[in-house]
Every structure is written in structure tokens, then in C-alpha cells.
């Protein structure tokens, strides 16, 4: 009986810890306005990140680290530094993907799916996708002082890849702190943004794809 009581208490505590409250339509509109205003005020961002990927077919999680640079409106550098060297650079309509073994250049205008995915990446790290009704159906939740937005893609190209994308915001609602992406395959990628600096000058060479 004592063991059963302890198990029940642990279960109740676990439920309480993970409980989220879904915002009403009016509350969601107000919070999204604040988030969107902060996203538009962000001209640049740079940070460290830690990415954890859980694959349905593998029991072991894959952890990688790197640095990210963003400059409005369409410049992004996503560089893995550990455990491998891999860089993704978006500069306008051009993308360069570089690893230790190869380099690939892509014209985003010629690949509709790639264009949609790169747009999702940029908007996810900045939080600038919440007001775009054409792109996502958004549900907003609150847990203690933390807000999270679960975004269900509407566009076919993105729906083919992602089941949903979840953004967690810092307490001031000024920037994204965690991006969680669940793919159609069941694989889940979680990216934590650390040491974030906003609206600082970033050298043009960071986004060079030549």
C-alpha cells in the first residue's frame, strides 16, 4: 500500500510539472503581437546552439554543437563545430552547404521545397512565423512564466517533412530559446539557443557563399 501511494504521488507530481495551459484566442492574439513585435525589431542575432536528435530507428540520441548567425532579411549561417564540421549558409536566394568532404551550391528559387524549408528555419529561430496564417496553424501554451508556440504547417512542401514545430520563448517574450521539430518519420530534433546576442554588427564575410 505504501509503495502504491508513493507511485501515485510521483505520477501526480510528474503530471503537475509537465502541465501546460492552452491560451484563449484573445490571450493568444495579445501574446503573438508581442512576439511578432520583438521579432521585427531584431535586425541580427548570433548565438551558440546545442542540437539533440532522437531518431525513431535508433535508441541513442545524437548531440551536436555549433554557432549560428542571422541578419535580416535573408542571411543565415548555421555551422556545426562538434562532433563534425558542417556549414549551411543562406544568402538571399543562394545556399551553400559545405562539409569536410564536399561543397554544394543551391539556387533556392529553383527548388520550391528547399525555399519553403529555408524560410521555416529563418522564421523559427527568430520567432517571426507566428502571425503568418498562410504558413501555420498556431496553438499557444503557457507553463509557469514560459510560453511555447506549437505550429502545424499548412503548405504541402513543409507538411511533407514536419508534423509540427514548437518554439519556446524566453520569459520576456523577446526571442526563441528552444526550437523543437517533429518530423513525419517520428524523428525529433531539439535545438537550444545559448549566449544569444541581438542587433550587433556581423561581418559580411560570415554569409559569403563564393
Amino acid at each position: 500500500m505504501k509503495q502504491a501511494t508513493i507511485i501515485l504521488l510521483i505520477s501526480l507530481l510528474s503530471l503537475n510539472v509537465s502541465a501546460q495551459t492552452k491560451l484563449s484566442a484573445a490571450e493568444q492574439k495579445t501574446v503573438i503581437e508581442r512576439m511578432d513585435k520583438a521579432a521585427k525589431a531584431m535586425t541580427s542575432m548570433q548565438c551558440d546552439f546545442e542540437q539533440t536528435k532522437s531518431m525513431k530507428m535508433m535508441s541513442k540520441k545524437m548531440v551536436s554543437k555549433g554557432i549560428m548567425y542571422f541578419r535580416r532579411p535573408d542571411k543565415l549561417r548555421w555551422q556545426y563545430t562538434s562532433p563534425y564540421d558542417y556549414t549551411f549558409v543562406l544568402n538571399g536566394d543562394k545556399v551553400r552547404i559545405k562539409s569536410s568532404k564536399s561543397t554544394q551550391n543551391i539556387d533556392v528559387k529553383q527548388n520550391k521545397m528547399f525555399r519553403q524549408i529555408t524560410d521555416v528555419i529563418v522564421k523559427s529561430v527568430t520567432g517571426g512565423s507566428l502571425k503568418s496564417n498562410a504558413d501555420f496553424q498556431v496553438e499557444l501554451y503557457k507553463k509557469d512564466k514560459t510560453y511555447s508556440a506549437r505550429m502545424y504547417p499548412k503548405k504541402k512542401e513543409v507538411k511533407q517533412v514536419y508534423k509540427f514545430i514548437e518554439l519556446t520563448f524566453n520569459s520576456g517574450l523577446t526571442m526563441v530559446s528552444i526550437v523543437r521539430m517533429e518530423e513525419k518519420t517520428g524523428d525529433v530534433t531539439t535545438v537550444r539557443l545559448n549566449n544569444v546576442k541581438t542587433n550587433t554588427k556581423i561581418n559580411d564575410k560570415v554569409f559569403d557563399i563564393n
Side-chain angles (χ1 to χ4, degrees), residues 125-157:
V125 297
T126 62
S129 53
L130 300 180
K131 287 192 72 175
S132 182
N133 294 329
D135 295 335
F136 296 98
Q137 175 188 335
V138 178
E139 295 178 355
L140 218 59
Y141 296 86
K142 184 180 181 182
K143 177 184 172 184
D144 298 327
K145 294 182 179 180
T146 302
Y147 288 86
S148 61
R150 182 167 288 197
M151 308 185 306
Y152 297 90
K154 291 182 177 181
K155 292 186 176 179
K156 181 179 69 175
E157 293 78 16

Side-chain angles (χ1 to χ4, degrees), residues 98-147:
K98 185 178 181 180
S99 69
S100 58
K101 297 181 179 179
S102 65
T103 300
Q104 182 181 9
N105 293 321
I106 300 170
D107 186 342
V108 177
K109 290 187 296 184
Q110 303 301 319
N111 189 319
K112 189 175 181 181
M113 176 177 284
F114 207 88
R115 185 172 71 246
Q116 294 290 348
I117 298 300
T118 54
D119 189 50
V120 167
I121 292 170
V122 170
K123 289 181 177 179
S124 294
V125 297
T126 62
S129 53
L130 300 180
K131 287 192 72 175
S132 182
N133 294 329
D135 295 335
F136 296 98
Q137 175 188 335
V138 178
E139 295 178 355
L140 218 59
Y141 296 86
K142 184 180 181 182
K143 177 184 172 184
D144 298 327
K145 294 182 179 180
T146 302
Y147 288 86

Side-chain angles (χ1 to χ4, degrees), residues 23-199:
L23 271 61
S24 66
E27 290 173 325
Q28 179 162 308
K29 183 179 179 180
T30 299
V31 173
I32 287 179
E33 288 289 344
R34 288 182 60 189
M35 292 173 173
D36 185 66
K37 185 177 180 180
K40 287 179 178 177
M42 185 188 298
T43 58
S44 69
M45 178 171 71
Q46 60 186 83
C47 66
D48 304 324
F49 69 83
E50 181 175 284
Q51 176 181 298
T52 303
K53 182 149 190 171
S54 303
M55 301 184 71
K56 195 173 182 181
M57 303 301 293
M58 296 176 62
S59 58
K60 187 177 180 180
K61 295 180 179 179
M62 296 184 295
V63 179
S64 50
K65 297 181 180 181
I67 52 177
M68 185 274 286
Y69 298 88
F70 164 78
R71 191 167 74 194
R72 190 173 295 283
D74 52 12
K75 290 179 172 59
L76 176 73
R77 182 185 183 95
W78 193 272
Q79 182 175 357
Y80 294 92
T81 57
S82 173
Y84 48 80
D85 186 15
Y86 182 93
T87 304
F88 170 97
V89 180
L90 168 68
N91 192 329
D93 292 323
K94 306 296 182 182
V95 165
R96 169 167 282 196
I97 300 173
K98 185 178 181 180
S99 69
S100 58
K101 297 181 179 179
S102 65
T103 300
Q104 182 181 9
N105 293 321
I106 300 170
D107 186 342
V108 177
K109 290 187 296 184
Q110 303 301 319
N111 189 319
K112 189 175 181 181
M113 176 177 284
F114 207 88
R115 185 172 71 246
Q116 294 290 348
I117 298 300
T118 54
D119 189 50
V120 167
I121 292 170
V122 170
K123 289 181 177 179
S124 294
V125 297
T126 62
S129 53
L130 300 180
K131 287 192 72 175
S132 182
N133 294 329
D135 295 335
F136 296 98
Q137 175 188 335
V138 178
E139 295 178 355
L140 218 59
Y141 296 86
K142 184 180 181 182
K143 177 184 172 184
D144 298 327
K145 294 182 179 180
T146 302
Y147 288 86
S148 61
R150 182 167 288 197
M151 308 185 306
Y152 297 90
K154 291 182 177 181
K155 292 186 176 179
K156 181 179 69 175
E157 293 78 16
V158 183
K159 286 176 72 173
Q160 288 176 359
V161 181
Y162 298 110
K163 184 177 179 181
F164 65 83
I165 300 169
E166 187 172 78
L167 309 181
T168 300
F169 287 78
N170 65 349
S171 57
L173 297 178
T174 56
M175 68 184 68
V176 175
S177 59
I178 302 172
V179 180
R180 183 175 180 271
M181 297 168 281
E182 184 166 324
E183 299 175 24
K184 285 285 189 178
T185 59
D187 296 350
V188 178
T189 302
T190 302
V191 181
R192 296 179 181 273
L193 307 181
N194 304 308
N195 303 317
V196 179
K197 298 178 182 178
T198 60
N199 299 339

Side-chain angles (χ1 to χ4, degrees), residues 3-16:
Q3 286 182 324
T5 303
I6 291 172
I7 292 171
L8 178 60
L9 285 171
I10 291 173
S11 300
L12 290 172
L13 285 169
S14 299
L15 286 170
N16 185 54

